């Protein structure tokens, strides 16, 4: 059985190649949020609370289009509903965790962490500390997402609005 730290750092290592597309996506989000008039604090808070790139971009697109709060929240919820499937798939591996740990792990259950940890869990069924792999992968993505969002906020504050970067929203999908 591997230690918690070994699993955690293995999660970081395994998810790192999947962080390459996260970098431009996070920067685009930060730039667009500022371009659409969100404050830096609101943009960072959104990244921390929602922590879902596709959901955040959809939020921006609907918000900039003047959609109602109901449409925005239901759309963000629909996009994030895939995490329910991720949780269902991983539930057999995480069933022994306390409710507190399940909540913590679920916050970091993003696409990239799920992709690498699902395989890792299947290969290490007897390891009681395997959930630290998911934490490592998820925290790796979280840190990179927050940093690139901040870079995008900075770039968004220096890029002139007349460049019209809102075209980048549909291009990300």
């Amino acid at each position: 059985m591997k230690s918690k730290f070994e699993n955690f750092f293995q999660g970081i290592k395994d998810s790192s190649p999947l962080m390459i597309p996260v970098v431009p996506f996070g920067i685009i989000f930060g730039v667009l949020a500022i371009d659409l008039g969100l404050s830096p604090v609101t943009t960072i808070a959104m990244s921390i609370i929602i922590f879902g790139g596709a959901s955040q971009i959809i939020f921006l697109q609907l918000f900039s289009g003047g959609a109602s709060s109901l449409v925005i929240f239901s759309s963000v919820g629909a996009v994030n509903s895939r995490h329910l499937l991720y949780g269902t798939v991983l539930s057999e591996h995480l069933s022994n965790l306390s409710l507190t740990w399940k909540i913590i792990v679920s916050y970091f259950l993003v696409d990239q962490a799920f992709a690498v940890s699902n395989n890792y869990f299947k290969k290490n069924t007897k390891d009681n500390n395997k959930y630290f792999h998911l934490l490592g992968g998820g925290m790796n993505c979280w840190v990179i997402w927050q940093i690139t969002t901040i870079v995008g906020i900075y770039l968004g504050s220096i890029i002139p609005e007349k460049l019209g970067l809102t075209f980048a929203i549909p291009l990300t999908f």
Side-chain angles (χ1 to χ4, degrees), residues 9 34 40 115 168:
F9 289 112
I34 296 303

Side-chain angles (χ1 to χ4, degrees), residues 3 14 50 54-55 64-65 105 143 149:
S3 73
D14 291 347
I50 298 176
S55 299
S64 70
V105 168
V143 168
T149 295

Side-chain angles (χ1 to χ4, degrees), residues 47-68:
S47 277
I48 292 170
I49 294 167
I50 298 176
F51 183 42
S55 299
Q56 289 175 239
I57 296 288
I58 287 172
F59 178 95
L60 287 178
Q61 188 175 20
L62 293 172
F63 179 76
S64 70
S68 71

Side-chain angles (χ1 to χ4, degrees), residues 92-105:
E92 69 179 281
H93 302 287
L94 305 173
S95 61
N96 294 333
L97 297 180
S98 69
L99 179 60
T100 303
W101 272 111
K102 287 178 183 178
I103 291 169
I104 292 168
V105 168

